Amino acid sequence: MARLALLSVSNKTGIIDLARSLVEEFDFDLISSGGTAQALKDAGLPVTKVADYTGSPEILGGRVKTLHPRIHGGILARRDVPEDITDLENNQIRPIDLVVVNLYPFEETIAKPGVTLSQAVEQIDIGGPAMLRASSKNFAHLAVLCDPAQYDEYLQELRQNNGVASLEFRQKAALKGFSHTASYDRAIASYLADAEQYTLSGTQLQSLRYGENPHQPATWYQTGTTPTGWAAATKLQGKELSYNNLVDLEAARRIIAEFTDTPAATIIKHTNPCGTALGSTISEAYQKAFNADSTSAFGGIVALNRPIDAATASELTKTFLECVVAPSCDAEAQEILAKKSNVRILTLADLSSGPKDTVKAIAGGFLVQAADDIIADTSQWQIVTERQPTDSELAELLFAWKVCKHVKSNAIVVTSDRTTLGVGAGQMNRVGSVKIALEQAGEKTKGATLASDGFFPFDDSVKTAAAAGITAIVQPGGSLRDKDSIKAANELGLLMVLTGVRHFLH
């Protein structure tokens, strides 16, 4: 008797080609439900509808199609248990050798604007997960496919093993099936849950060489069923990405996402920017960012918000870099960059979209917070000094504030001409960060702007900045001693703006 395959998919990518190979090359009989059956019939393939096979019609508007003993008996039967085989024979049930199922697009549905709860609920698949779990459980006796990317591999298994998929393949496919249903249920639970519940799951993309240090194992996981973010990036050349590469790339992405209207470049070391700049061209922006701290830029991670052109590629090859990411890279630029074959060159069309939450593990649990994605609005800023900003000064203050947001606290950033001059990051006191940033900027502090991610508890940092030549300061405000800092700024002829928003980054 011919083997039996059950095909019931929401995503019909590749299903016709798979079905044709099953029928013509391996003599499978096909049963299918709903739209999948119609698609196979339209393609001229012989198929039996599930309703005809079970003798039970689809009911409740399609909510019940495959929930039937002739389906689940055929999936769950153990071929090496005589009692199971007897049950199949007594109930006229054929054993099912292959189950091809993927699920209603729940995540895609809830991502659409204006989707109602009732619309979301109708995209909660019932029969699909039931078949996936049943067939994954019984991998010893059948194969299950839940991703079109598995179809070719399965067919190769049949071709190489006399028409039978190996146990190793079936077990791996079962794991993918369970992972798929777990991810699906997580998405539903997260959508329906209140703040008392938070679930997190992912699908392994690859094992990394190690984590932050060689003694720490590490793995890269993708969230959701559709690749987004770094999982959707294309690596044009270079070595495999490391754990630290990915962490730094995400830090670079967050900074570059702040700038959309003007060519911008940032260079990251240990998640902090050592140089960030705007320019009239992307090549100019990169050169300004590199010159901001060329010593620290060695071995850095570069993010650009414009495609890599030949001029920029030539500049990128002049120093050692770990990674470069941009929306795209033209052919001439790729040819130039190929001379530095070890540099990881990535393209990611959407550098602006990031996670809505940040998650940190702690002993016994984890912490979840909303991403710090608030957009700076200068109309809400408070000018607290006698001196008022010019349009150019306000633009410089905004640039410095956007960069400071992404520097580890305590954070101080000194800028001029939309370029970072000095960065004080992660110090235990704000005075220390101020001194580091000013020292790094050197003589360029004359007429420069200073941004602080938190308020100044005393006026000492204001006085230190003024003595170095700083003429404008942007900070959140909120200290009980704000009046002292404002008084010092007025006495020293500085411009000071309070944003009313703090940007600590731990």
Side-chain angles (χ1 to χ4, degrees):
M1 180 183 293
R3 287 174 293 176
L4 187 60
L6 169 59
L7 281 57
S8 181
V9 293
S10 176
N11 177 3
K12 295 177 176 54
T13 301
I15 195 65
I16 301 301
D17 290 339
L18 172 66
R20 183 169 286 109
S21 293
L22 293 175
V23 171
E24 297 178 357
E25 192 174 348
F26 299 104
D27 196 30
F28 272 84
D29 288 339
L30 305 180
I31 57 175
S32 189
S33 63
T36 308
Q38 189 61 50
L40 297 176
K41 183 179 179 182
D42 291 345
L45 293 167
V47 59
T48 300
K49 289 185 177 180
V50 165
D52 295 333
Y53 176 72
T54 62
S56 296
E58 295 183 7
I59 61 173
L60 307 182
R63 281 189 165 197
V64 178
K65 295 191 284 281
T66 57
L67 298 172
H68 193 281
R70 291 201 79 191
I71 297 298
H72 285 272
I75 292 173
L76 286 165
R78 294 159 293 187
R79 317 298 165 81
D80 55 355
V81 176
E83 293 81 0
D84 285 8
I85 300 302
T86 298
D87 282 342
L88 294 183
E89 293 171 350
N90 290 340
N91 290 280
Q92 296 182 314
I93 298 173
R94 290 179 62 180
I96 296 175
D97 296 279
L98 172 66
V99 175
V100 184
V101 177
N102 54 58
L103 309 178
Y104 295 167
F106 181 80
E107 288 184 281
E108 292 85 344
T109 298
I110 62 175
K112 297 175 182 176
V115 171
T116 65
L117 176 60
S118 61
Q119 289 172 327
V121 166
E122 286 307 310
Q123 291 301 318
I124 298 176
D125 204 328
I126 302 300
M131 289 188 290
L132 271 179
R133 288 180 59 81
S135 49
S136 295
K137 174 178 179 175
N138 205 28
F139 69 84
H141 302 285
L142 76 159
V144 57
L145 308 176
C146 62
D147 184 344
Q150 297 173 290
Y151 297 171
D152 285 343
E153 186 180 359
Y154 174 72
L155 292 173
Q156 286 301 317
E157 279 282 316
L158 298 186
R159 290 168 185 140
Q160 294 170 7
N161 297 290
N162 297 317
V164 178
S166 66
L167 179 60
E168 180 183 13
F169 174 86
R170 300 198 305 271
Q171 183 169 344
K172 183 175 71 171
L175 172 60
K176 190 172 182 68
F178 282 124
S179 297
H180 189 35
T181 57
S183 177
Y184 194 75
D185 286 340
R186 176 203 59 78
I188 297 168
S190 295
Y191 177 74
L192 297 175
D194 56 25
E196 294 180 359
Q197 295 182 339
Y198 189 93
T199 57
L200 181 68
S201 69
T203 303
Q204 180 176 328
L205 279 182
Q206 67 182 75
S207 294
L208 302 172
R209 289 177 60 199
Y210 51 79
E212 287 181 299
N213 299 291
H215 60 275
Q216 296 173 265
T219 307
W220 180 8
Y221 291 89
Q222 170 191 315
T223 56
T225 56
T226 302
T228 59
W230 298 109
T234 299
K235 185 161 72 72
L236 301 180
Q237 67 171 55
K239 298 182 290 185
E240 289 297 317
L241 291 167
S242 72
Y243 179 96
N244 289 334
N245 289 158
L246 288 162
V247 171
D248 283 336
L249 280 166
E250 176 60 14
R253 187 203 61 76
R254 289 197 298 265
I255 291 183
I256 215 67
E258 296 281 354
F259 307 103
T260 56
D261 298 334
T262 305
T266 189
I267 305 173
I268 296 292
K269 288 292 288 290
H270 306 292
T271 73
N272 283 305
C274 56
T276 302
L278 307 184
S280 58
T281 65
I282 196 62
S283 177
E284 180 190 21
Y286 170 71
Q287 290 178 67
K288 289 170 68 177
F290 177 80
N291 292 332
D293 185 357
S294 58
T295 300
S296 298
F298 184 85
I301 306 287
V302 175
L304 310 169
N305 71 345
R306 296 289 189 274
I308 306 173
D309 54 22
T312 309
S314 295
E315 293 298 324
L316 290 167
T317 60
K318 291 180 180 179
T319 191
F320 167 66
L321 298 169
E322 286 280 352
C323 305
V324 179
V325 64
S328 61
C329 181
D330 69 34
E332 187 178 359
Q334 286 189 52
E335 187 175 345
I336 294 169
L337 291 167
K339 299 172 185 176
K340 294 274 189 175
S341 59
N342 285 333
V343 180
R344 303 162 180 88
I345 307 296
L346 293 90
T347 58
L348 179 57
D350 182 9
L351 283 164
S352 62
S353 298
K356 295 179 180 179
D357 299 324
T358 60
V359 182
K360 287 190 177 183
I362 60 172
F366 56 89
L367 307 174
V368 181
Q369 67 171 351
D372 185 8
D373 56 7
I374 188 171
I375 298 174
D377 182 359
T378 57
S379 69
Q380 301 300 311
W381 289 4
Q382 184 181 5
I383 302 164
V384 293
T385 50
E386 296 167 1
R387 190 158 80 78
Q388 301 293 297
T390 64
D391 290 345
S392 179
E393 285 177 320
L394 191 60
E396 191 69 44
L397 288 163
L398 180 60
F399 171 79
W401 182 243
K402 286 182 174 182
V403 176
C404 192
K405 172 182 176 181
H406 300 283
V407 176
K408 288 294 181 71
S409 190
N410 288 309
I412 298 291
V413 173
V414 176
T415 76
S416 181
D417 188 28
R418 316 303 188 270
T419 306
T420 55
L421 303 177
V423 178
Q427 297 306 299
M428 285 64 71
N429 65 77
R430 196 159 298 280
V431 174
S433 289
V434 170
K435 290 180 177 178
I436 290 172
L438 293 174
E439 181 180 348
Q440 189 180 76
E443 292 300 317
K444 294 179 181 179
T445 54
K446 306 301 180 183
T449 294
L450 182 146
S452 172
D453 68 338
F455 62 66
F456 294 117
F458 304 101
D459 63 7
D460 50 359
S461 291
V462 176
K463 293 177 179 179
T464 300
I470 296 294
T471 58
I473 292 176
V474 56
Q475 56 130 328
S479 169
L480 293 174
R481 293 177 175 267
D482 274 350
K483 62 181 185 300
D484 295 340
S485 294
I486 295 168
K487 181 173 180 285
N490 277 323
E491 290 174 349
L492 296 165
L494 270 65
L495 163 66
M496 181 177 287
V497 173
L498 304 185
T499 67
V501 176
R502 190 184 75 184
H503 284 305
F504 282 176
L505 179 62
H506 289 92

